[in-house]
PDB file of all heavy atoms in Angstrom:
ATOM      1  N   PHE X 158      14.645  29.183  -1.733  1.00  0.00           N
ATOM      2  CA  PHE X 158      15.884  29.159  -0.970  1.00  0.00           C
ATOM      3  C   PHE X 158      15.668  29.591   0.484  1.00  0.00           C
ATOM      4  O   PHE X 158      16.606  29.489   1.241  1.00  0.00           O
ATOM      5  CB  PHE X 158      16.959  30.066  -1.631  1.00  0.00           C
ATOM      6  CG  PHE X 158      17.392  29.547  -2.999  1.00  0.00           C
ATOM      7  CD1 PHE X 158      16.818  30.093  -4.153  1.00  0.00           C
ATOM      8  CD2 PHE X 158      18.331  28.581  -3.090  1.00  0.00           C
ATOM      9  CE1 PHE X 158      17.246  29.651  -5.384  1.00  0.00           C
ATOM     10  CE2 PHE X 158      18.757  28.100  -4.363  1.00  0.00           C
ATOM     11  CZ  PHE X 158      18.209  28.631  -5.494  1.00  0.00           C
ATOM     12  N   ASP X 159      14.465  30.127   0.762  1.00  0.00           N
ATOM     13  CA  ASP X 159      14.247  30.602   2.121  1.00  0.00           C
ATOM     14  C   ASP X 159      14.089  29.472   3.073  1.00  0.00           C
ATOM     15  O   ASP X 159      13.613  28.387   2.742  1.00  0.00           O
ATOM     16  CB  ASP X 159      12.913  31.448   2.125  1.00  0.00           C
ATOM     17  CG  ASP X 159      13.036  32.705   1.341  1.00  0.00           C
ATOM     18  OD1 ASP X 159      14.208  33.108   1.059  1.00  0.00           O
ATOM     19  OD2 ASP X 159      12.021  33.306   0.992  1.00  0.00           O
ATOM     20  N   GLY X 160      14.521  29.659   4.307  1.00  0.00           N
ATOM     21  CA  GLY X 160      14.402  28.637   5.356  1.00  0.00           C
ATOM     22  C   GLY X 160      12.942  28.421   5.725  1.00  0.00           C
ATOM     23  O   GLY X 160      12.072  29.233   5.408  1.00  0.00           O
ATOM     24  N   ARG X 161      12.735  27.343   6.490  1.00  0.00           N
ATOM     25  CA  ARG X 161      11.364  27.053   6.949  1.00  0.00           C
ATOM     26  C   ARG X 161      11.093  27.702   8.303  1.00  0.00           C
ATOM     27  O   ARG X 161      11.031  27.006   9.354  1.00  0.00           O
ATOM     28  CB  ARG X 161      11.145  25.533   7.018  1.00  0.00           C
ATOM     29  CG  ARG X 161      11.047  24.845   5.672  1.00  0.00           C
ATOM     30  CD  ARG X 161      10.651  23.428   5.854  1.00  0.00           C
ATOM     31  NE  ARG X 161      11.650  22.656   6.563  1.00  0.00           N
ATOM     32  CZ  ARG X 161      12.744  22.100   6.058  1.00  0.00           C
ATOM     33  NH1 ARG X 161      12.929  22.199   4.759  1.00  0.00           N
ATOM     34  NH2 ARG X 161      13.558  21.426   6.799  1.00  0.00           N
ATOM     35  N   ASN X 162      11.008  29.035   8.318  1.00  0.00           N
ATOM     36  CA  ASN X 162      10.678  29.686   9.555  1.00  0.00           C
ATOM     37  C   ASN X 162       9.238  29.356   9.887  1.00  0.00           C
ATOM     38  O   ASN X 162       8.370  29.399   9.049  1.00  0.00           O
ATOM     39  CB  ASN X 162      10.783  31.228   9.437  1.00  0.00           C
ATOM     40  CG  ASN X 162      12.243  31.628   9.152  1.00  0.00           C
ATOM     41  OD1 ASN X 162      13.146  31.029   9.710  1.00  0.00           O
ATOM     42  ND2 ASN X 162      12.417  32.635   8.338  1.00  0.00           N
ATOM     43  N   GLU X 163       9.036  28.961  11.159  1.00  0.00           N
ATOM     44  CA  GLU X 163       7.723  28.472  11.577  1.00  0.00           C
ATOM     45  C   GLU X 163       6.613  29.503  11.253  1.00  0.00           C
ATOM     46  O   GLU X 163       5.514  29.112  10.874  1.00  0.00           O
ATOM     47  CB  GLU X 163       7.737  28.134  13.060  1.00  0.00           C
ATOM     48  CG  GLU X 163       6.532  27.313  13.515  1.00  0.00           C
ATOM     49  CD  GLU X 163       6.386  25.957  12.767  1.00  0.00           C
ATOM     50  OE1 GLU X 163       7.429  25.379  12.487  1.00  0.00           O
ATOM     51  OE2 GLU X 163       5.254  25.562  12.499  1.00  0.00           O
ATOM     52  N   LYS X 164       6.902  30.757  11.418  1.00  0.00           N
ATOM     53  CA  LYS X 164       5.866  31.782  11.144  1.00  0.00           C
ATOM     54  C   LYS X 164       5.498  31.867   9.695  1.00  0.00           C
ATOM     55  O   LYS X 164       4.402  32.359   9.312  1.00  0.00           O
ATOM     56  CB  LYS X 164       6.338  33.142  11.674  1.00  0.00           C
ATOM     57  CG  LYS X 164       7.516  33.731  10.937  1.00  0.00           C
ATOM     58  CD  LYS X 164       7.939  35.073  11.509  1.00  0.00           C
ATOM     59  CE  LYS X 164       9.102  35.696  10.788  1.00  0.00           C
ATOM     60  NZ  LYS X 164       8.848  36.018   9.412  1.00  0.00           N
ATOM     61  N   ASP X 165       6.420  31.376   8.800  1.00  0.00           N
ATOM     62  CA  ASP X 165       6.141  31.462   7.359  1.00  0.00           C
ATOM     63  C   ASP X 165       5.471  30.171   6.814  1.00  0.00           C
ATOM     64  O   ASP X 165       4.988  30.174   5.668  1.00  0.00           O
ATOM     65  CB  ASP X 165       7.397  31.716   6.583  1.00  0.00           C
ATOM     66  CG  ASP X 165       8.058  33.049   6.984  1.00  0.00           C
ATOM     67  OD1 ASP X 165       7.288  33.993   7.273  1.00  0.00           O
ATOM     68  OD2 ASP X 165       9.305  33.137   6.944  1.00  0.00           O
ATOM     69  N   VAL X 166       5.531  29.095   7.585  1.00  0.00           N
ATOM     70  CA  VAL X 166       5.090  27.834   7.085  1.00  0.00           C
ATOM     71  C   VAL X 166       3.600  27.829   6.780  1.00  0.00           C
ATOM     72  O   VAL X 166       3.179  27.446   5.691  1.00  0.00           O
ATOM     73  CB  VAL X 166       5.429  26.681   8.114  1.00  0.00           C
ATOM     74  CG1 VAL X 166       4.698  25.393   7.694  1.00  0.00           C
ATOM     75  CG2 VAL X 166       6.925  26.434   8.141  1.00  0.00           C
ATOM     76  N   ALA X 167       2.796  28.295   7.736  1.00  0.00           N
ATOM     77  CA  ALA X 167       1.342  28.266   7.555  1.00  0.00           C
ATOM     78  C   ALA X 167       0.881  29.091   6.324  1.00  0.00           C
ATOM     79  O   ALA X 167       0.091  28.586   5.518  1.00  0.00           O
ATOM     80  CB  ALA X 167       0.641  28.747   8.843  1.00  0.00           C
ATOM     81  N   PRO X 168       1.396  30.317   6.136  1.00  0.00           N
ATOM     82  CA  PRO X 168       0.953  31.092   4.971  1.00  0.00           C
ATOM     83  C   PRO X 168       1.379  30.417   3.645  1.00  0.00           C
ATOM     84  O   PRO X 168       0.623  30.437   2.672  1.00  0.00           O
ATOM     85  CB  PRO X 168       1.726  32.409   5.140  1.00  0.00           C
ATOM     86  CG  PRO X 168       1.969  32.564   6.576  1.00  0.00           C
ATOM     87  CD  PRO X 168       2.200  31.125   7.065  1.00  0.00           C
ATOM     88  N   VAL X 169       2.550  29.796   3.631  1.00  0.00           N
ATOM     89  CA  VAL X 169       3.029  29.106   2.417  1.00  0.00           C
ATOM     90  C   VAL X 169       2.122  27.957   2.086  1.00  0.00           C
ATOM     91  O   VAL X 169       1.713  27.746   0.926  1.00  0.00           O
ATOM     92  CB  VAL X 169       4.472  28.662   2.552  1.00  0.00           C
ATOM     93  CG1 VAL X 169       4.880  27.706   1.417  1.00  0.00           C
ATOM     94  CG2 VAL X 169       5.434  29.867   2.517  1.00  0.00           C
ATOM     95  N   LEU X 170       1.781  27.143   3.059  1.00  0.00           N
ATOM     96  CA  LEU X 170       0.924  25.996   2.889  1.00  0.00           C
ATOM     97  C   LEU X 170      -0.497  26.428   2.472  1.00  0.00           C
ATOM     98  O   LEU X 170      -1.090  25.813   1.605  1.00  0.00           O
ATOM     99  CB  LEU X 170       0.866  25.142   4.158  1.00  0.00           C
ATOM    100  CG  LEU X 170       2.163  24.457   4.535  1.00  0.00           C
ATOM    101  CD1 LEU X 170       2.026  23.774   5.931  1.00  0.00           C
ATOM    102  CD2 LEU X 170       2.576  23.429   3.515  1.00  0.00           C
ATOM    103  N   ARG X 171      -0.947  27.496   3.078  1.00  0.00           N
ATOM    104  CA  ARG X 171      -2.297  28.027   2.722  1.00  0.00           C
ATOM    105  C   ARG X 171      -2.306  28.468   1.264  1.00  0.00           C
ATOM    106  O   ARG X 171      -3.209  28.186   0.531  1.00  0.00           O
ATOM    107  CB  ARG X 171      -2.655  29.117   3.695  1.00  0.00           C
ATOM    108  CG  ARG X 171      -4.094  29.598   3.594  1.00  0.00           C
ATOM    109  CD  ARG X 171      -4.507  30.363   4.816  1.00  0.00           C
ATOM    110  NE  ARG X 171      -3.598  31.451   5.175  1.00  0.00           N
ATOM    111  CZ  ARG X 171      -2.848  31.436   6.313  1.00  0.00           C
ATOM    112  NH1 ARG X 171      -2.930  30.466   7.156  1.00  0.00           N
ATOM    113  NH2 ARG X 171      -2.023  32.452   6.580  1.00  0.00           N
ATOM    114  N   ARG X 172      -1.272  29.247   0.910  1.00  0.00           N
ATOM    115  CA  ARG X 172      -1.197  29.706  -0.487  1.00  0.00           C
ATOM    116  C   ARG X 172      -1.018  28.555  -1.460  1.00  0.00           C
ATOM    117  O   ARG X 172      -1.612  28.609  -2.591  1.00  0.00           O
ATOM    118  CB  ARG X 172       0.031  30.678  -0.636  1.00  0.00           C
ATOM    119  CG  ARG X 172       0.238  31.231  -2.017  1.00  0.00           C
ATOM    120  CD  ARG X 172      -0.976  31.935  -2.554  1.00  0.00           C
ATOM    121  NE  ARG X 172      -0.720  32.502  -3.888  1.00  0.00           N
ATOM    122  CZ  ARG X 172      -1.652  32.775  -4.742  1.00  0.00           C
ATOM    123  NH1 ARG X 172      -2.946  32.549  -4.418  1.00  0.00           N
ATOM    124  NH2 ARG X 172      -1.354  33.245  -5.909  1.00  0.00           N
ATOM    125  N   SER X 173      -0.326  27.534  -1.073  1.00  0.00           N
ATOM    126  CA  SER X 173      -0.144  26.359  -1.976  1.00  0.00           C
ATOM    127  C   SER X 173      -1.482  25.694  -2.272  1.00  0.00           C
ATOM    128  O   SER X 173      -1.772  25.348  -3.448  1.00  0.00           O
ATOM    129  CB  SER X 173       0.794  25.326  -1.271  1.00  0.00           C
ATOM    130  OG  SER X 173       2.049  25.863  -1.061  1.00  0.00           O
ATOM    131  N   LYS X 174      -2.315  25.551  -1.281  1.00  0.00           N
ATOM    132  CA  LYS X 174      -3.667  24.973  -1.495  1.00  0.00           C
ATOM    133  C   LYS X 174      -4.491  25.873  -2.386  1.00  0.00           C
ATOM    134  O   LYS X 174      -5.237  25.430  -3.252  1.00  0.00           O
ATOM    135  CB  LYS X 174      -4.369  24.721  -0.179  1.00  0.00           C
ATOM    136  CG  LYS X 174      -3.749  23.538   0.581  1.00  0.00           C
ATOM    137  CD  LYS X 174      -4.574  23.106   1.747  1.00  0.00           C
ATOM    138  CE  LYS X 174      -4.501  24.095   2.900  1.00  0.00           C
ATOM    139  NZ  LYS X 174      -5.230  23.623   4.087  1.00  0.00           N
ATOM    140  N   GLN X 175      -4.347  27.195  -2.181  1.00  0.00           N
ATOM    141  CA  GLN X 175      -5.079  28.150  -3.014  1.00  0.00           C
ATOM    142  C   GLN X 175      -4.714  28.006  -4.505  1.00  0.00           C
ATOM    143  O   GLN X 175      -5.522  28.185  -5.393  1.00  0.00           O
ATOM    144  CB  GLN X 175      -4.861  29.581  -2.536  1.00  0.00           C
ATOM    145  CG  GLN X 175      -5.528  29.887  -1.176  1.00  0.00           C
ATOM    146  CD  GLN X 175      -5.115  31.229  -0.615  1.00  0.00           C
ATOM    147  OE1 GLN X 175      -4.225  31.927  -1.156  1.00  0.00           O
ATOM    148  NE2 GLN X 175      -5.735  31.620   0.467  1.00  0.00           N
ATOM    149  N   LEU X 176      -3.409  27.798  -4.748  1.00  0.00           N
ATOM    150  CA  LEU X 176      -2.913  27.703  -6.109  1.00  0.00           C
ATOM    151  C   LEU X 176      -3.479  26.471  -6.831  1.00  0.00           C
ATOM    152  O   LEU X 176      -3.503  26.381  -8.075  1.00  0.00           O
ATOM    153  CB  LEU X 176      -1.410  27.608  -6.134  1.00  0.00           C
ATOM    154  CG  LEU X 176      -0.648  28.874  -5.722  1.00  0.00           C
ATOM    155  CD1 LEU X 176       0.842  28.618  -5.584  1.00  0.00           C
ATOM    156  CD2 LEU X 176      -0.864  29.972  -6.789  1.00  0.00           C
ATOM    157  N   LEU X 177      -4.013  25.497  -6.061  1.00  0.00           N
ATOM    158  CA  LEU X 177      -4.606  24.310  -6.620  1.00  0.00           C
ATOM    159  C   LEU X 177      -6.111  24.380  -6.691  1.00  0.00           C
ATOM    160  O   LEU X 177      -6.773  23.419  -7.110  1.00  0.00           O
ATOM    161  CB  LEU X 177      -4.153  23.071  -5.842  1.00  0.00           C
ATOM    162  CG  LEU X 177      -2.707  22.673  -6.048  1.00  0.00           C
ATOM    163  CD1 LEU X 177      -2.323  21.576  -5.055  1.00  0.00           C
ATOM    164  CD2 LEU X 177      -2.461  22.154  -7.470  1.00  0.00           C
TER     165      LEU X 177
END
Side-chain angles (χ1 to χ4, degrees):
F158 294 98
D159 294 343
R161 288 187 298 274
N162 295 324
E163 194 58 35
K164 66 181 180 64
D165 298 327
V166 169
V169 167
L170 293 173
R171 191 161 51 245
R172 177 58 179 156
S173 298
K174 287 191 287 186
Q175 290 171 352
L176 290 171
L177 287 171

